[in-house]
Amino acid sequence: MKICITSVPVQDQDKALAFYTAVLGFIKKTEVPLGEHKWLTVVSPQEQSGVELLLEPMAFEPAKQYQTSLKEAGIPWTSFSVDDINEEYERLLALGVEFSVAPREVGNVIIAVLDDTCGNYIQIMQML
């Protein structure tokens, strides 16, 4: 058994696709229209056959409440690994990305937390 798809809830799929590709650097993998929404996934350019991230539309009220509660509590929805967190932090700042947590060491990792503009905090981390 292996993980092939994971998801992040988004308030606007088109806005999310723009942010996750143009800003974070992922690549669109799949886009299948499904009525009002679509099956929309992105992948890492380094692992294009790897785990897909589903940009999942927020069409279920309890999920919206959960997303809002996590963000209000400052809790990231998920975490992405980067090779050089300081370099990535500076790159993203230059693109106008807002961070709730600047890079800081936590145990055996350095983390930072960004706002994905789609309703979530996302953690980036670098292993030490």
Side-chain angles (χ1 to χ4, degrees), residues 13-87:
Q13 286 184 298
D14 294 324
K15 181 179 178 183
L17 181 61
F19 183 83
Y20 279 78
T21 56
V23 177
L24 295 185
F26 291 107
I27 297 170
K28 181 170 74 171
K29 174 86 176 199
T30 307
E31 183 172 354
V32 178
L34 298 170
E36 180 182 349
H37 304 292
K38 49 192 145 190
W39 182 264
L40 182 61
T41 66
V42 296
V43 294
S44 167
Q46 293 85 13
E47 296 181 0
Q48 294 183 36
S49 296
V51 176
E52 295 179 45
L53 179 65
L54 173 63
L55 303 176
E56 189 165 4
M58 292 301 299
F60 183 56
E61 191 57 39
K64 291 178 187 178
Q65 293 170 4
Y66 181 62
Q67 180 192 43
T68 299
S69 295
L70 277 180
K71 189 159 187 197
E72 287 174 354
I75 299 171
W77 185 271
T78 193
S79 182
F80 302 135
S81 176
V82 296
D83 293 329
D84 183 329
I85 198 163
N86 292 314
E87 180 180 299

Side-chain angles (χ1 to χ4, degrees), residues 63-120:
K64 291 178 187 178
Q65 293 170 4
Y66 181 62
Q67 180 192 43
T68 299
S69 295
L70 277 180
K71 189 159 187 197
E72 287 174 354
I75 299 171
W77 185 271
T78 193
S79 182
F80 302 135
S81 176
V82 296
D83 293 329
D84 183 329
I85 198 163
N86 292 314
E87 180 180 299
E88 190 66 11
Y89 176 75
E90 293 300 328
R91 183 186 79 79
L92 292 172
L93 275 179
L95 291 172
V97 174
E98 295 182 12
F99 283 81
S100 61
V101 176
R104 69 175 185 207
E105 193 171 320
V106 180
N108 65 342
V109 297
I110 302 172
I111 66 163
V113 178
L114 62 91
D115 186 327
D116 76 351
T117 73
C118 303
N120 308 291

